[in-house]
């Protein structure tokens, strides 16, 4: 027997073996027993048309139907009480703009219409509701909801909604051309992967969103008015005031955030926006056609210096620590660090002191370990945080003093499965998670100044880590959200 007892079945026309009567009638399949091609007879499951009709219904109405069914079932359980969010909803915890936290997710009403709720994670009280009357085919996913500058943004099913964080008042809605994009590299600082940024200009704030069709859209922060739209490659960069994009292969532009017009264009193989300046990897400079790294002053748009160097790789990031610009270089024995100091290229007097605040030497510095390539690099306090792999693919995360390249903290070899990775927190905190994909995870919190591990926890799984309003938020799909004390690692709230 191929089918367990009690399950509907039909006999194979070739060998007579029982086959499950759950396939669409008319399907041509090999019999699991005799391997002969057979045609599923009429009555052996839904027809192809019926299956297609059900699939169409499920895509449009299945999420709502499931949420309402679960809500009704919960109502029959004595003492259960109503749920705060729909069973099909994702929940994110973001800063509310008033110094606290708010959990945001979707809930369905008895009429099948949806709304978004903001709930206090500590008291579990509903603080506000917004977007009443929405018709969701699916609930907003984690990437679709984020907090920025006291606002909560929901980018779902082609609509971007701005909500006031403290009150939940709906501010405006605007159209998006596609699903919002994910910026994995930005999560170390932002705490989430949502590709949405706020930029401050002399004429008010601008909200910039990247969607999966490689379209960059800008909206007025106050009114939601569409300001401009254009195509771009990769993810835009901002320091909160400037906007830097890759227009096309090796063509970078500094944009006016309100008009979307290019105020400066650069030919470079890569570029990184740092506070007050652009760091560019450039080629074929001067009479000797040299490759190297250049720095452009954002205030003037003028290049301040150029340093010749081979194999500059800004894709890993650029760190500014102690008056030095620390640039990753691909060396013959792995990644090296090129420090560029004020004396390195005769910059305009006072520029580096204003921008970086110190002096420094030059000369390429080797990593503390041989044959390692840096995957990502960040400056944090007086140190650099490095995510690297050796040439055999073994991963490690370290905190390094950049002048002496002394290791303050070394994770040792860690598993390289899907995990949230590095998160940089206030006061020189670094949290990083690692483990096997779809399996247990280890979470550590490290003090940058000393390199010491404050605490370490083992979790069954972990999908996101974020520093939020003095707390560490841990989220795993299908499990309670935890608010953790960064100092001790103790869970303050399970939500």
């Amino acid at each position: 027997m191929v089918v367990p007892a009690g399950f509907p079945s039909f006999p194979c026309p070739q060998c007579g073996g029982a086959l499950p009567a759950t396939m669409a009638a008319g399907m041509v399949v090999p019999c699991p027993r005799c391997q002969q091609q057979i045609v599923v007879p009429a009555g052996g499951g839904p027809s192809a048309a019926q299956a297609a009709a059900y699939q169409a219904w499920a895509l449009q109405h299945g999420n709502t139907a499931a949420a309402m069914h679960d809500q009704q079932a919960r109502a029959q359980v004595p003492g259960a009480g109503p749920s705060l969010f729909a069973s099909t909803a994702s929940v994110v915890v973001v800063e509310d703009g008033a110094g606290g936290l708010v959990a945001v997710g979707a809930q369905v009403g008895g009429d099948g219409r949806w709304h978004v709720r903001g709930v206090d994670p500590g008291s579990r009280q509903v603080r506000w509701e917004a977007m009443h009357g929405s018709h969701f085919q699916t609930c907003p996913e984690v990437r679709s909801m984020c907090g920025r500058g006291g606002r909560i943004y929901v980018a779902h099913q082609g609509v971007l909604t701005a909500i006031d964080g403290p009150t939940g008042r709906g501010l405006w809605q605007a159209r998006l051309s596609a699903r919002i994009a994910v910026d994995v590299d930005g999560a170390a600082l932002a705490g989430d992967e949502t590709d949405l940024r706020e930029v401050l200009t002399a004429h008010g704030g601008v909200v910039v969103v990247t969607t999966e069709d490689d379209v960059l859209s800008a909206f007025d922060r106050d009114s939601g008015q569409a300001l401009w739209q254009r195509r771009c490659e990769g993810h835009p960069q901002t320091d909160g005031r400037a906007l830097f994009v890759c227009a096309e292969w090796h063509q970078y532009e500094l944009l006016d955030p309100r008009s979307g017009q290019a105020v400066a264009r650069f030919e470079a193989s890569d570029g990184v926006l740092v506070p007050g300046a652009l760091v560019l990897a450039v080629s074929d400079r001067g009479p000797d056609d040299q490759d190297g790294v250049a720095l452009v002053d954002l205030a003037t748009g003028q290049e301040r210096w150029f340093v010749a160097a081979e194999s500059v790789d800004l894709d890993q990031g650029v760190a500014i620590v102690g008056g030095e610009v620390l640039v990753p270089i691909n060396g013959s024995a792995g990644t090296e660090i090129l420090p560029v100091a004020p004396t390195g290229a005769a910059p305009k007097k006072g520029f580096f002191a204003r921008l970086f605040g110190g002096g420094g030497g030059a000369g390429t510095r080797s990593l503390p370990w041989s044959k390692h390539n840096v995957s990502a690099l960040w400056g944090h306090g007086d140190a650099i945080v490095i995510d690297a792999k050796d040439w055999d693919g073994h991963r490690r995360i370290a905190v390094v003093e950049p002048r002496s390249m002394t290791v303050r903290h070394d994770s040792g070899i860690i598993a390289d499965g899907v995990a949230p990775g590095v998160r940089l927190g206030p006061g020189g905190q670094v949290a990083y998670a690692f483990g096997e994909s779809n399996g247990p995870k280890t979470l550590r919190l490290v003090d940058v100044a000393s390199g010491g591990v404050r605490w370490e926890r083992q979790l069954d799984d972990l999908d996101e880590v974020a520093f939020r309003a003095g707390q560490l938020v841990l989220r795993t799909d299908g499990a309670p959200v935890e608010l953790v004390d960064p100092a001790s690692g103790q869970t303050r709230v399970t939500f």
Side-chain angles (χ1 to χ4, degrees):
M1 291 289 289
V2 175
V3 180
F7 279 70
S9 64
F10 66 89
C12 170
Q14 299 294 329
C15 67
L19 303 179
T22 55
M23 296 173 283
M27 287 182 63
V28 179
V29 297
C31 172
R33 294 192 58 175
C34 67
Q35 299 301 312
Q36 298 296 311
Q37 294 290 107
I38 64 170
V39 178
V40 177
S47 67
Q50 290 172 324
Y54 173 76
Q55 184 179 33
W57 177 89
L59 289 173
Q60 184 171 357
H61 304 290
N63 177 72
T64 300
M68 294 182 67
H69 177 271
D70 292 344
Q71 197 176 74
Q72 293 163 1
R74 183 182 178 91
Q76 305 302 314
V77 178
S83 60
L84 291 172
F85 301 105
S87 61
T88 55
S90 297
V91 178
V92 299
V93 177
V94 300
E95 295 185 9
D96 62 4
L101 297 173
V102 60
V104 181
Q107 180 60 292
V108 66
D111 58 357
R113 296 185 178 185
W114 289 85
H115 57 275
V116 169
R117 274 182 169 174
V119 176
D120 184 288
S123 67
R124 301 174 186 259
Q125 297 299 307
V126 177
R127 290 178 51 180
W128 49 256
E129 293 182 343
M131 300 176 64
H132 274 281
S134 298
H135 292 276
F136 294 154
Q137 291 183 335
T138 59
C139 291
E141 55 191 331
V142 170
R143 75 162 72 178
S144 300
M145 301 176 289
C146 69
R148 299 284 190 270
R151 294 275 181 85
I152 294 164
Y153 294 98
V154 180
H156 187 52
Q157 295 185 179
V159 177
L160 174 65
T161 303
I163 300 170
D164 181 65
T167 67
R169 180 170 59 92
L171 301 174
W172 49 262
Q173 290 188 321
R175 298 296 304 180
L176 295 177
S177 59
R179 183 188 188 199
I180 194 167
V182 167
D183 180 11
V184 177
D185 294 336
L189 295 174
D192 60 64
E193 300 178 354
T194 305
D195 202 340
L196 182 149
R197 295 159 175 82
E198 290 188 340
V199 188
L200 182 63
T201 74
H203 302 287
V206 177
V207 180
V208 180
V209 183
T210 311
T211 43
E212 287 188 332
D213 55 356
D214 297 326
V215 171
L216 190 63
S217 301
F219 308 94
D220 181 82
R221 187 179 187 271
D222 293 329
S223 67
Q225 176 188 358
L227 299 176
W228 51 267
Q229 191 175 82
R230 57 168 291 166
R231 300 193 67 81
C232 72
E233 293 192 9
H235 307 287
Q237 301 178 46
T238 182
D239 61 356
R241 291 184 177 273
L243 186 61
F244 184 56
V245 303
C246 180
E248 55 183 303
W249 178 253
H250 285 196
Q251 299 295 321
Y252 287 83
E253 295 180 352
L254 189 64
L255 302 183
D256 179 326
R258 293 206 70 84
S259 69
Q261 298 299 309
V263 297
R265 292 186 172 89
F266 310 94
E267 185 172 345
S269 59
D270 209 344
V272 176
L273 177 65
V274 298
L278 290 172
V279 180
L280 303 173
V282 296
S283 304
D284 303 328
R285 279 296 181 87
D288 298 326
D289 293 333
Q290 293 178 310
D291 296 345
V293 58
L295 185 137
V296 176
D297 184 353
L298 286 181
T300 64
Q302 300 299 309
E303 183 176 300
R304 308 308 293 183
W305 49 252
F306 167 79
V307 175
E310 297 292 333
S311 305
V312 175
D313 190 356
L314 301 185
D315 188 54
Q316 304 161 4
V318 171
I320 300 176
V321 180
E324 295 181 320
V325 184
L326 304 171
V327 180
I329 304 291
N330 290 327
S332 60
T335 302
E336 298 176 347
I337 303 299
L338 173 67
V340 183
T343 57
K348 182 179 179 181
K349 186 177 180 180
F351 173 78
F352 275 88
R354 183 176 72 254
L355 185 60
F356 305 128
T364 302
R365 299 168 186 165
S366 299
L367 295 182
W369 329 273
S370 62
K371 298 181 179 180
H372 274 67
N373 293 323
V374 171
S375 303
L377 172 75
W378 304 270
H380 199 38
D382 64 346
I384 53 175
V385 180
I386 297 174
D387 192 337
K389 289 184 181 179
D390 67 19
W391 288 6
D392 293 322
H394 301 132
R395 183 186 181 201
R396 71 189 333 124
I397 294 171
V399 177
V400 177
E401 196 285 318
R403 291 186 181 273
S404 65
M405 298 303 286
T406 301
V407 178
R408 294 181 183 173
H409 171 79
D410 189 343
S411 68
I413 295 174
I414 57 176
D416 192 26
V418 176
V422 175
R423 299 291 184 266
L424 306 182
Q429 301 175 100
V430 175
Y432 66 88
F434 59 91
E436 301 296 338
S437 301
N438 300 317
K441 302 292 188 295
T442 298
L443 176 65
R444 290 176 183 160
L445 195 135
V446 176
D447 178 73
V448 166
S450 67
V453 177
R454 288 187 184 175
W455 49 265
E456 176 178 302
R457 285 183 54 179
Q458 306 297 319
L459 301 105
D460 292 337
D461 202 354
L462 185 62
D463 291 318
E464 194 51 86
V465 177
F467 287 95
R468 299 280 189 241
Q471 303 192 64
L472 201 60
V473 179
L474 311 183
R475 183 190 59 79
T476 302
D477 290 343
V481 173
E482 291 186 47
L483 306 186
V484 173
D485 177 10
S488 66
Q490 297 299 309
T491 298
R492 290 171 170 168
V493 174
T494 300
F495 178 73

